[in-house]
Each structure stands twice: as C-alpha cells, then as structure tokens.
Amino acid sequence: MDPRPAAKPQYDLYLNGAWVPSATGETFETLNPATEQVISRVAAAGERDVDAAVKAARAAFDAGKWTQLSASDRGKALLRIAEGIRKNLDELAFLETIDAGKTIGETKNIEVPLAAELFEYYAGWATKITGETIPVRGNYLAYTLREPIGVCAAIVPWNFPLLMAVWKIAPALAAGNVMIVKPSEFTPLSLLKLAEIVHEAGLPPGVFQVLPGFGPSAGAALVRHPGVDKIAFTGSTATGQTVMREAAATLKRVSLELGGKSPNIVLEDADPEAAARGAIAGIFYNKGEVCAAGSRLFVPEKLHDAVMEKVVERAKKLVPGDPLDPKTRFGAIASKPQLEKVLGYIQTGKAEGAKCVTGGERAKVGDGKGYFVQPTVFDGATNQMRIAREEIFGPVLTAITYKDLDEVIALANDSPYGLAAAVFTRDVKKAHVVARRLKAGTVWVNTYNIYDPALPFGGVKQSGFGRELGSAAIDNYTELKSVCVDLNL
C-alpha cells in the first residue's frame, strides 16, 4: 500500500465557510506535469460565484466577527493556521509537487514550512498594528489609526501557489481584513487544502474563501467587482497591466508583483566557485520558474572562462527526474503551455546567435511523459537579444560578458524590469556601491534567492509596485485615518 498522501478525485469551491460546486456546474482538470495524467477535477468559479463570495466577504467584514475580534485573538487564529500547516506538511508538500512539478525536497523542506512561518510571523504583527500621536498647532489631540481595508482579493500564480498566496493572506488577515483567493487553474490543490486548514482553525464564514477558476472569468470578475476593496496580484507584467486598467474603474487599491529579468553580476574580484554556485541557485531553483530568477549572468572578461566552466559543470549535474523522488533536484515545468514557451525561447536564443553550451532540449524522464527541460546555459549573448530582454520563466541562463563596472551597471539596468539583482564580490565597498546603483527592489550580495518573512520584497519599473513580506506588507492591507480632537475649553 502506497503510504503517500493522495489528492481527492474532485474539489469544490470554498465559499462562505462551505464546500460548494460552481453556480454553472463547470469543472476543469488539473494535471500532473511530471506524468501528464489527470490528478483531479476542480470546480471552476465564474461571475456568479465571485459575486456570492464578495457578498459573503462583505457581510463577514461588516458584521465584525473577524475585524472587531481582538488583535490578540486574531493572532491566535493565525497561529492555529500555522499549526495546521505543519500538521499537514506531508499532504501539502505532496499536492504542491504533483500539481506544480516541484521537487518534494523543495516543497517539504522549504516552501511549506515557510508558509507556516509566515502565518506565525504575521500572528505577531496582529497586536502591533498601531497609529501615532502627532503634535499639531493649537490645542488639539491629533492621532492616526490603522484600519483594515475591507474585502481583499488575491490572484496568485502557478509557480509558488501556496507561498505567493500566504504572502498575501497572512498580513491581510492579521490586519483584520477578509480575503478571497483565486489560485491558478494549473495549480489549485494546495490552496484548497489550505482552505480546509483555515476552516478547522475556526475562522468565521466569509473571512477566507478560495475560488479556483480561470483568469478571464473568475479573475476578471474579482478585479471588476465594486465590492472588492483591494487586489493583490502576482503574475506576468502583461496581466498586471490588465489588472491595473480594470481596477481603475472602481479605484480599488492594487499591489502588483510582476515579471523580472534579474541581473546576476560577477565582479572581477569575485571567487569563481562562489559566483558559479550563486548563478546556479539564481536561475535553476524551481526549474527557473521564479519571478526573481537571475536569468542574466554578467561575467567580466578576465573571469569568463573560470566562471563559465564551473557554471556549465554544475548545470550538467542537475538532471531532471521524478519530482516525488527525494533525491531529485530538478523537477518538471508546470504546464504544457509553459514547456512550449521555454522550448521556443531556447530555439530563439540559438537563432539569435547565442551559444548553447549545455542543455537546450526537452529532457526524457522515465517513460518519456512529462514536461521536462534540460537546464540550459547560453554564452556569448548580448543584452539586446530576446533571451536577454524577455522573461522566459524557465531553466534558461543567458551569460553576457562585460569590460568594466560602469558598463555592467548600465547593462544590468537596461531592462524594462526591476525586481531583483545580485552582485558577487570580495570588496565590501563595491558591494554597497553597486547595490545602490542597481534599479531593483531587492539586491543580494554574494548569495541569491534569500527570503525571510521580515524582509520586504517587490519590484520597480515593470516589475510592479507595493511590497510584500515584513512590516511593509501591513501597509498594503491597512488604511491610515487621521483623527483630530478639539481640546479647547
């Protein structure tokens, strides 16, 4: 008997504290990208379901059973959710792996535990959301209040289904808001399991709801609905632009975490071995399906051969395999459309004249089924090639050679994106100088892909605006009210 968890054959919407089919009865299949087999059928939310969820959320918010709950009690509820996540670690990791193609090592050891940690972190924030007393002219008492926005909606991507949702859910709930989540149609399972955990934690009906469905129906309905006060979106820049345009009609609050083409800069004094490790971690974690992936590697002429030799050597050791095998370090691309997109960009890179020094093909694993791609490294590229300009969102590294510091900073900043960046150097002064000059929301020094619940994350330029994580996320989910009292007798 297989001791592993199992997905349910069918999932409904989690709406107003209950599991219900969609209003139309429509469902969709979710596939295992490593096997191309159907995992489950999932109810597809439409406009009527969104309207029902928004009304339930509004009623819950206005009734105050969550909003007016003491901050301490809200924090305790978030701790119960965190405890539920840890209790269901194996099942959540399994669902995330079979739904998104991630390795079980990543989901079980990193991502699901971090989701629990995020709820614990924001449980602590619940009692620390405070205003200020402000000295003003005259005999007045002036102070500010931080109040919840109201009905919030999160539209989350398929690359980190659970984590990207929790980045939004935890601070929103801590601040007293109610939340509706629309997961990607490619990866809804872990969030539907989270709904079970939240239900068991005892949150009132309507405070937290999950509506799996498609962007043009469920997602668009949430963005347009006048009863939604705030949209938090993570996804492509093109979709983010649509969200922003549609949200303008009702002037709802919007925060966007969008695409990236992040530069990973190796300076001349860097340790080639450390730089190569950083390059591999920057681009190949989660098969390169990371918005902040270090997809552009800038290597100085003097260190080019030493760094690239080690990068290629390490890339070749990353062999795609069964994501459920604990020994596998490189899983499957999350969907067939994404597989085709990645392979298309690889062909584009070859046609543009970049040199494919390793990988570059679809990988065969087991019986040949599954959406696997070899870890791919291009060398001899220029910053004007499409593979250096456009977000591939896959395991494709583009290496570009440069001459001096001013040139590489100009090249790094010559991008429509500005989500993240990294610099590898042994010179602490240069590290700080480069970090200041790079146009990015996050700059890592001598490391890559380091995240912490307390460290704000977000982008500039076409990578979006607003910050998630840390105290900055509380700003996303609170309104600031000024109060002025006349004390003149």
Side-chain angles (χ1 to χ4, degrees), residues 254-285:
V254 176
S255 56
L256 302 172
E257 198 263 275
L258 308 177
K261 197 68 185 174
S262 300
N264 195 346
I265 301 171
V266 181
L267 298 188
E268 288 186 355
D269 58 37
D271 174 8
E273 183 66 37
R277 284 198 307 270
I280 294 297
I283 186 58
F284 293 132
Y285 182 81

Side-chain angles (χ1 to χ4, degrees), residues 437-459:
R437 293 179 65 183
L438 289 172
K439 296 176 182 177
T442 294
V443 179
W444 289 292
V445 178
N446 293 330
T447 189
Y448 211 100
N449 276 337
I450 301 301
Y451 302 90
D452 188 274
L455 186 64
F457 182 83

